[in-house]
Amino acid sequence: MYTYKLGHRFLNGTYMWNQMHQFKSSPYPGQNSVQRVVIFGDMGKDEADGSNEYNQFQPGALNTTNQLINDLENIDIVFHIGDICYANGYISQWDQFTSQIEPIASTIPYMLASGNHERDWPGTGSFYGNMDSGGECGVLVQNMFYVPTVNRDKFWYSTDYGMFRFCIADTEHDWRQGTEQYNFIEHCLASVDRQKQPWLIFLAHRVLGYSSDASYADEGSFAEPMGRESLQKLWQKYKVDIAIFGHVHNYERTCPIYQNICTNNEKHLYKGALNGTIHVAAGGAGASLSEFTPIQTKWSIFRDYDHGFVKLTAFDHSNLLFEYKKSRDGKVYDSFRISRDYRDILACTVDSCPSMTLAS
């Protein structure tokens, strides 16, 4: 346990200090202990007194923040996967947001992914030529928060937390096969020792997997166009357990899936190999909600048009609990468990092992 405080030295040699804070060091890769991870996207900020503000379309932000603060003793690390505060170029909005999350970020790791409202601006190297960042071009998020990137403008990275390996993509840069980011993603997935870190999680802002959000359904892609074309073989080959995305402001969970086909018919208790990857949209942490398509996609198990966040609890190397909680009451509305041994991860399934082997 570390104890620290921050202060300022005045010209006359005196100091002014803030309150004392504490945080616990992260478990080492492979450490066998209970590890609890909260993941969400698109939270933003809001005024507690109900006053007006710029970009006032994040009505669930304070509910989500307060639920995390109230349950902080049962959370070890947070991933906020894009669309952080919707400042869109107004620096005071970042001050408001960092003040809002200070009780969380001063106590446990607060990890980020890059979203369109942090990065996108025409002619700046972003994959999309939109004006969603308000001219920030990623500068604010890259310098306010630390994540272990090799290049801050290329906001992709891997991080280990006990029994978890997280591979975090940057959907505002090209991820397609042959790109620098694609090579990073494959290396991140391929380099993990699944005997020590059995829980392999892929995180990104825009939905690169599957979503029944009305906007994606209207495009006919049910995900970001070109999203899973290059990546789904990597998820399958390296047996990614769960892929979690933001960008769509709702919650949805799919079956374990590969190439649009459910690879497992179970819904709540998975034993042994998944044979595919479970995809989750978790972008309902605060911003105004997004409608679902009326089309009943065969791979969609649970949808919720409300604000919320997801929580992963690794009890040991063989047992993982997934929970979706609503921000308004903190109660669990969807959940599943994975129970398996290391040999289950080694088992071959479609496109997860070489199609041929050399004769011995």
Side-chain angles (χ1 to χ4, degrees):
M1 185 69 73
Y2 291 82
T3 301
Y4 71 100
K5 61 181 179 179
L6 303 177
H8 179 76
R9 183 179 183 272
F10 293 98
L11 293 177
N12 63 6
T14 61
Y15 292 84
M16 181 169 63
W17 297 97
N18 74 353
Q19 67 187 61
M20 298 293 289
H21 296 284
Q22 285 188 328
F23 70 92
K24 193 167 80 170
S25 59
S26 299
Y28 60 82
Q31 179 174 322
N32 190 6
S33 60
V34 176
Q35 294 149 18
R36 302 153 302 183
V37 184
V38 164
I39 304 169
F40 56 83
D42 307 75
M43 184 170 75
K45 70 271 171 274
D46 202 5
E47 293 284 3
D49 62 2
S51 58
N52 292 328
E53 62 164 21
Y54 176 72
N55 271 354
Q56 190 171 8
F57 55 81
Q58 300 121 54
L62 289 182
N63 280 347
T64 300
T65 304
N66 291 336
Q67 288 295 342
L68 300 185
I69 293 172
N70 292 337
D71 197 37
L72 209 50
E73 292 183 354
N74 298 307
I75 303 170
D76 297 311
I77 185 171
V78 165
F79 286 88
H80 187 162
I81 51 175
D83 285 9
I84 308 303
C85 75
Y86 298 91
N88 294 11
Y90 288 80
I91 188 66
S92 64
Q93 302 292 285
W94 278 101
D95 291 340
Q96 180 185 341
F97 174 78
T98 52
S99 177
Q100 178 177 306
I101 67 163
E102 181 178 346
I104 305 168
S106 62
T107 306
I108 59 176
Y110 198 97
M111 310 298 289
L112 304 178
S114 179
N116 51 302
H117 283 280
E118 286 77 58
R119 183 62 183 84
D120 291 359
W121 194 256
T124 64
S126 60
F127 189 53
Y128 299 88
N130 303 324
M131 304 175 71
D132 296 346
S133 77
E136 289 185 7
C137 309
V139 173
L140 274 298
V141 70
Q142 293 161 16
N143 288 281
M144 282 195 177
F145 291 85
Y146 172 80
V147 296
T149 58
V150 176
N151 180 332
R152 287 191 181 187
D153 188 50
K154 300 172 181 177
F155 216 73
W156 56 76
Y157 63 97
S158 66
T159 191
D160 297 318
Y161 194 88
M163 295 175 285
F164 289 97
R165 159 68 63 89
F166 295 97
C167 297
I168 297 90
D170 181 354
T171 57
E172 310 318 299
H173 284 82
D174 197 347
W175 63 82
R176 292 172 295 178
Q177 190 167 359
T179 63
E180 181 183 358
Q181 180 169 200
Y182 179 91
N183 294 336
F184 154 77
I185 293 171
E186 180 162 28
H187 180 266
C188 181
L189 300 177
S191 60
V192 60
D193 182 348
R194 298 299 290 274
Q195 192 163 12
K196 293 181 178 179
Q197 295 175 281
W199 310 115
L200 182 56
I201 313 297
F202 180 86
L203 303 177
H205 178 62
R206 295 175 185 261
V207 179
L208 303 181
Y210 296 83
S211 167
S212 300
D213 188 78
S215 61
Y216 285 141
D218 291 343
E219 294 175 344
S221 58
F222 292 96
E224 203 67 37
M226 304 178 293
R228 57 181 177 267
E229 292 177 8
S230 297
L231 298 178
Q232 61 181 345
K233 287 191 175 181
L234 293 184
W235 297 328
Q236 186 75 352
K237 179 179 180 180
Y238 298 108
K239 300 176 182 176
V240 172
D241 294 306
I242 309 173
I244 304 178
F245 309 97
H247 196 58
V248 292
H249 304 161
N250 50 45
Y251 168 77
E252 183 176 19
R253 170 169 67 97
T254 77
C255 60
I257 189 171
Y258 178 57
Q259 300 277 27
N260 289 293
I261 297 173
C262 290
T263 59
N264 193 312
N265 293 323
E266 178 56 50
K267 294 183 179 180
H268 298 290
L269 179 57
Y270 299 98
K271 293 184 177 181
L274 293 176
N275 299 324
T277 298
I278 296 171
H279 292 255
V280 176
S288 298
L289 296 169
S290 303
E291 297 282 350
F292 286 105
T293 177
I295 301 171
Q296 294 301 310
T297 48
K298 60 185 179 181
W299 36 258
S300 181
I301 289 181
F302 191 98
R303 302 179 187 180
D304 189 46
Y305 180 78
D306 204 350
H307 295 108
F309 54 92
V310 303
K311 183 178 182 180
L312 307 179
T313 302
F315 295 102
D316 51 40
H317 286 73
S318 298
N319 293 281
L320 179 75
L321 171 65
F322 174 100
E323 297 172 301
Y324 164 66
K325 297 186 174 186
K326 292 201 181 196
S327 300
R328 54 183 167 87
D329 58 15
K331 295 180 180 179
V332 177
Y333 285 80
D334 182 38
S335 67
F336 65 84
R337 289 177 177 266
I338 301 175
S339 178
R340 66 171 184 227
D341 295 322
Y342 177 54
R343 65 176 179 270
D344 298 319
I345 304 176
L346 296 179
C348 285
T349 185
V350 178
D351 286 346
S352 71
C353 292
S355 57
M356 62 185 69
T357 57
L358 296 174
S360 60

